[in-house]
Amino acid sequence: MHILIINRYSDDFADYGKYLDHLRHTVSYVTVAGHVPMIPEGAGHVETVADVSDADSVLVAAGLCHRAAGRFDAVLALSEFDLLTAAQVREKFGCAGMDTAATLLFRDKARMKAALAESGVRSPRFATVESVPEVTAFAAALSGPVVVKPRSGAASAGCVVLAEDDDATEVLGGLDLTDHEVEEYVEGPIWHVDGLRYEGEDVFTLPSRYLNTCLGFTQGQWLGSVVQDGPAAERAKALAAEALDALRLTDGPYHLELIEHRDGFVFLEVGARVGGGEIPFTVRDVYGVDLFAEWVRIALGERPSAVPAAPGVYAGFLMFPEPVGHRLVARSSMTDGIPHLYAEQLPDPGRAFTGDGGYEEILGRFRYRGPSPRAVEQAVTRTAAEYAYELEAL
């Protein structure tokens, strides 16, 4: 096969030699210059671009790969932010896989929720907006807080919660609300369901509950997660399957979020990609499933080798966000004192945090495996309480 990879990473996160035999297949790349040393020997045509986010330059580079190495049998893009570009490449060069219309159901939150509402999947009431008065009008029709968010954002970046008595002009006045949506705020813990689908079948499904929230993480709070079981977990899996069916996802990975409201689960959002943060690492370490490798198999039309999660083993993680504007002076290791903590990744003293770390350059990350959700949750919360570090202003 001739496989085109659209890649924005220059670290081990995108070691495609682990996933693809570069001698068996012709593997071409459109990537950044920093990634070129990682490309295995025997790869097909390689084109570099200054910014993978520039879809036009990626399309031009893809055309050069197409002319040099032949028609594409598959186009892979493992970043949330490159899914639409990959869809455009498929359409331009007649390659099978998700097209733009299908991809927009997972990248455009307004289209996503409109499709779910039409199918009867329970989700927040919403409206597309481009101005503060439109937000104010939507909020006035509801009682309670509302959430304003970019229609194509990820990881809660750019999300703003407006309380019922907030002045929307004061809170939102300096923001460009082009391509935004507003939706009702639904109270309750946030869950995420991570999995894989092949030919419409769920071949791997793992429900987890966040401790704190992704939005809170962007505001300086730690974020944890613990795999769950029992009746609530089964209900979460059922609503996830209903939403994925409504959005017509038949093949590939997904990271879907739900709100556990007092009277039942409510859909929040979903991405047609592997979950971020520590999710792919704990799933690999605890359950033996490499979500990225399985994604590649599915993209090549091969049945994934993933199996259901082993009963009696529960994964979890904890992340401390980037303390922007500070330098790390000292920090403690937690691996000797916390039960069920099997790995940690901590920055070295002297690390300066400048505001562009996201989920990568952060203050600390911890991974857990334990005999029950309660045991793992206790380990996560204890780590969060006892992790000691010292910072100084930049």
Side-chain angles (χ1 to χ4, degrees):
M1 299 178 70
H2 182 201
I3 302 156
L4 176 69
I5 292 176
I6 301 171
N7 168 69
R8 64 174 55 226
Y9 302 114
S10 58
D11 56 21
D12 291 342
F13 190 68
D15 184 3
Y16 298 97
K18 295 188 301 185
Y19 311 134
L20 285 166
D21 185 336
H22 283 58
L23 298 179
R24 177 187 176 194
H25 302 292
T26 300
V27 185
S28 296
Y29 287 80
V30 175
T31 189
V32 292
H35 181 73
V36 171
M38 294 184 63
I39 296 175
E41 292 185 11
H45 195 72
V46 177
E47 289 287 334
T48 61
V49 293
D51 184 2
V52 179
S53 299
D54 181 355
D56 290 338
S57 66
V58 172
L59 286 167
V60 170
L64 296 175
C65 294
H66 187 267
R67 285 195 289 275
R71 65 177 298 275
F72 303 130
D73 297 293
V75 177
L76 301 179
L78 303 187
S79 167
E80 169 95 3
F81 301 104
D82 299 325
L83 297 180
L84 269 177
T85 302
Q88 293 171 19
V89 171
R90 293 187 193 103
E91 291 177 337
K92 181 173 181 178
F93 297 103
C95 181
M98 291 181 69
D99 61 14
T100 299
T103 304
L104 281 171
L105 290 174
F106 294 88
R107 287 293 293 136
D108 184 331
K109 293 176 175 58
R111 294 189 187 213
M112 178 191 302
K113 292 186 174 69
L116 292 175
E118 185 176 343
S119 297
V121 177
R122 189 179 182 194
S123 55
R125 288 172 287 179
F126 77 98
T128 59
V129 294
E130 293 192 351
S131 67
V132 171
E134 289 176 303
V135 173
T136 302
F138 179 86
L142 300 177
S143 59
V146 297
V147 186
V148 180
K149 59 179 69 174
R151 290 173 62 171
S152 60
S156 295
C159 293
V160 178
V161 177
L162 284 175
E164 191 170 6
D165 56 354
D166 279 345
D167 183 331
T169 300
E170 180 179 334
V171 176
L172 302 173
L175 299 179
D176 179 3
L177 296 181
T178 304
D179 292 328
H180 275 59
E181 65 143 6
V182 59
E183 62 185 49
E184 62 177 321
Y185 178 84
V186 179
E187 184 70 41
I190 309 297
W191 288 53
H192 57 100
V193 182
D194 297 273
L196 298 160
R197 284 193 152 198
Y198 179 69
E199 295 183 345
E201 173 191 355
D202 284 297
V203 294
F204 182 79
T205 308
L206 196 65
S208 306
R209 183 168 61 84
Y210 283 121
L211 307 177
N212 292 335
T213 67
C214 296
L215 178 58
F217 187 80
T218 69
Q219 299 169 341
Q221 299 176 6
W222 59 263
L223 176 66
S225 171
V226 179
V227 169
Q228 303 292 314
D229 65 2
E234 293 304 313
R235 290 193 296 272
K237 289 162 62 175
L239 183 57
E242 185 182 355
L244 294 169
D245 288 342
L247 296 172
R248 300 187 292 280
L249 181 69
T250 58
D251 297 277
Y254 60 87
H255 172 72
L256 186 146
E257 296 182 346
L258 305 167
I259 306 163
E260 189 181 14
H261 191 49
R262 60 180 177 272
D263 60 356
F265 279 102
V266 179
F267 174 90
L268 181 56
E269 59 190 49
V270 60
R273 42 86 176 175
V274 172
E278 296 302 286
I279 292 170
F281 304 107
T282 55
V283 170
R284 178 199 62 197
D285 298 346
V286 178
Y287 303 109
V289 177
D290 186 328
L291 293 171
F292 287 105
E294 302 295 357
W295 188 356
V296 171
R297 288 192 184 95
I298 293 170
L300 301 188
E302 301 172 5
R303 184 172 185 85
S305 59
V307 295
V313 182
Y314 300 86
F317 68 79
L318 168 65
M319 301 189 301
F320 277 78
E322 181 182 18
V324 178
H326 292 82
R327 179 181 289 106
L328 180 64
V329 176
R331 46 75 176 158
S332 61
S333 172
M334 305 301 293
T335 52
D336 292 334
I338 304 293
H340 315 306
L341 171 62
Y342 72 85
E344 66 180 13
Q345 290 186 349
L346 307 178
D348 293 328
R351 168 73 59 79
F353 298 98
T354 57
D356 54 3
Y359 280 175
E360 304 304 318
E361 303 296 332
I362 61 177
L363 189 54
R365 57 184 76 239
F366 306 87
R367 302 171 191 164
Y368 307 81
R369 65 163 65 88
S372 70
R374 179 174 174 78
V376 175
E377 180 170 343
Q378 288 175 337
V380 170
T381 54
R382 180 179 165 188
T383 308
E386 298 181 8
Y387 178 43
Y389 52 88
E390 182 182 348
L391 302 170
E392 64 181 10
L394 290 177

